[in-house]
Amino acid sequence: MFDTVRGTASDIREMKIRGAGRIARAGASAMGRFAENYPGGSLEEFRTDLDKARKILLESRPTAVSLWNGVQACIRDMKTVGSLEEAKALVVRNAEAFVEMSSNAVETIAKIGSKRVQEGDTILTHCNSSAALGIIKEAHAQGKDIRVYATESRPWRQGLLTVKELSEAGVDVTLIIDGAVRSVMKKVDKVFVGADTVTSNGAVINKIGTSQLALAANERRVQFNVCTETYKFSPMTLFGEMVEIEERGCGEVADAETLPKGVKVYNPVFDTTPARYIDAIITELGILSPGSVYDVMVRQLGDSIIRMGDIQ
Ligand code: RUB
C-alpha cells in the first residue's frame, strides 16, 4: 500500500527528485496517487494510513518547507468529509490543485522577475533553481542580451544541470567553481537565486554557499534577488521554530578511504542568508521586501496555517 509513497520518498532522499519546487510537487502527487489507489476500508483507516503516508514523505528531506506545504495541502479540509470516497476524492483534488498552483507560480515568477533583468545584464546564479532559471530564460526569450555565470555547487554539482538548461535555451552561460564567486562578482550586475525556505523575518535558506554570494554581492553593491513561490514561506517559523539544516554523508564530499585517518567531514547542504543582504524576494504575488514576508505569510497563509495543523 505504501510502495509508491516510499518510492517517491526514496527518490527525494537520494536526490533523484531535487529542488524545493519539484520535491513539493512530487510529494503532493504521491499523496494524490496514494488516495486514488487506496484499496478500501473505513474512513478512519484511510485517515490513519494517509497520515502515515504523509510522515513517510516528510521524513525524506528536512529543510525545504515546500515539501511540508505541498504534502499538507493535500489533507486540507479533511475534517469536512463524511465518507471514504469523499475523502479520497478530496485528497486527489487537493494534490492536483497544489501541483497546478505550484507550476503556475513558477511561470508567473518568470514573467515578473524578467522585468528586473535589463539589456546587457550579467547575472550570477547558484545551484539549480527552477524559479531563478525561469526568470533568466524568460528575459532571454524576450530578446534581452544577457550573460550568466553559474556556480558548480559542490558536492552535487547541480550547476552542471543549470549550464545545460541555460545553454539549451540559447543563453550565454559560463560555469565557475564555487570559490570563484567573489572574484567574478566584479563583473556581475545582479544575482538571482532560489529558496528552499523563507522565514517569517525574511531570511532565506537555500543551497550551501548562497550566503557567500550574498556577502560578496553586498560588498560590491550588486543587487541580490531571491526567486521563490510563497509556499516556501515557513509558517512554523512564525511560531518560533528553527529551520533544520540538512547534513548529508561524508561520501558526497570525499572518499573516506582516501582521507587521512581521523579526518572528519562536515557536509551541511543549505545555509541561511539574513534579510539584510536581500534586495528583493520575487514571488508569484509580486516583488516583496524581506521585511514584508511576515505580513504576506499571515495574510496569505494565515487561514491555512490553522487548518494545516488539523490533520484529522
Ligand atoms: C536545490 C536548491 C535550489 C532550491 C530552489 O537544492 O537549493 O536553489 O531548492 O529550487 P537541492 P526551485 O539540489 O539539494 O535540492 O526554484 O527549483 O524550487
Side-chain angles (χ1 to χ4, degrees):
M1 186 192 301
F2 293 99
D3 283 358
T4 2
V5 164
R6 286 208 179 95
T8 302
S10 121
D11 285 351
I12 293 174
R13 194 174 305 110
E14 289 163 22
M15 310 258 294
K16 288 180 189 146
I17 306 172
R18 47 145 301 281
R22 286 194 194 91
I23 66 176
R25 288 189 288 278
S29 300
M31 288 287 278
R33 282 198 304 278
F34 178 82
E36 200 167 17
N37 300 323
Y38 194 72
S42 71
L43 178 57
E44 273 323 298
E45 281 166 339
F46 176 64
R47 283 188 164 134
T48 307
D49 289 337
L50 191 66
D51 194 41
K52 192 167 166 194
R54 185 185 74 93
K55 286 178 179 145
I56 291 170
L57 288 163
L58 292 183
E59 275 162 14
S60 59
R61 284 193 88 181
T63 301
V65 74
S66 53
L67 176 63
W68 189 89
N69 276 327
V71 168
Q72 294 296 113
C74 296
I75 57 173
R76 190 168 294 170
D77 293 332
M78 274 294 274
K79 244 189 178 159
T80 63
V81 296
S83 72
L84 174 64
E85 285 316 308
E86 265 182 68
K88 286 171 63 171
L90 177 73
V91 176
V92 171
R93 258 197 330 274
N94 280 344
E96 287 169 356
F98 179 83
V99 171
E100 196 187 340
M101 176 279 287
S102 165
S103 307
N104 290 343
V106 178
E107 282 173 28
T108 307
I109 289 168
K111 292 202 183 87
I112 294 174
S114 65
K115 294 181 192 161
R116 284 271 168 147
V117 179
Q118 279 155 347
E119 180 70 16
D121 269 354
T122 298
I123 291 166
L124 173 62
T125 190
H126 186 48
C127 193
N128 180 256
S129 154
S130 322
L133 296 195
I135 289 173
I136 294 168
K137 287 193 289 184
E138 174 63 25
H140 172 74
Q142 289 166 2
K144 289 175 186 162
D145 174 32
I146 54 173
R147 267 153 300 283
V148 177
Y149 285 101
T151 55
E152 180 188 16
S153 308
R154 280 270 296 151
W156 272 81
R157 307 183 85 201
Q158 291 92 331
L160 298 181
L161 299 173
T162 292
V163 294
K164 183 169 186 290
E165 193 173 331
L166 291 181
S167 66
E168 279 172 3
V171 179
D172 176 340
V173 59
T174 305
L175 182 70
I176 58 167
I177 59 165
D178 302 319
V181 160
R182 185 161 176 261
S183 160
V184 157
M185 197 59 81
K186 55 181 169 292
K187 301 180 184 174
V188 170
D189 299 298
K190 283 158 198 164
V191 178
F192 287 88
V193 295
D196 282 76
T197 292
V198 180
T199 67
S200 58
N201 65 358
V204 166
I205 290 91
N206 190 50
K207 177 57 53 193
I208 190 80
T210 301
S211 64
Q212 285 173 176
L213 267 74
L215 282 175
N218 185 263
E219 183 189 34
R220 295 198 76 92
R221 300 287 181 267
V222 169
Q223 195 187 96
F224 189 86
N225 300 288
V226 174
C227 321
T228 177
E229 307 89 304
T230 53
Y231 60 79
K232 295 175 187 164
F233 288 9
S234 167
M236 296 86 135
T237 60
L238 272 176
F239 305 111
E241 295 286 332
M242 303 295 281
V243 178
E244 181 183 343
I245 301 291
E246 178 182 3
E247 279 177 39
R248 295 182 69 94
C250 73
E252 292 184 354
V253 177
D255 180 355
E257 284 170 19
T258 65
L259 287 172
K261 208 170 171 340
V263 171
K264 298 182 280 274
V265 172
Y266 173 48
N267 182 19
V269 180
F270 300 100
D271 68 16
T272 303
T273 301
R276 66 180 174 279
Y277 295 108
I278 300 167
D279 291 293
I281 301 188
I282 305 173
T283 77
E284 77 281 11
L285 301 180
I287 296 188
L288 313 179
S289 68
S292 60
V293 168
Y294 171 85
D295 286 337
V296 172
M297 209 179 251
V298 170
R299 196 154 16 97
Q300 298 290 329
L301 305 174
D303 189 31
S304 34
I305 287 166
I306 295 154
R307 284 184 283 152
M308 276 173 190
D310 221 356
I311 298 155
Q312 297 298 315

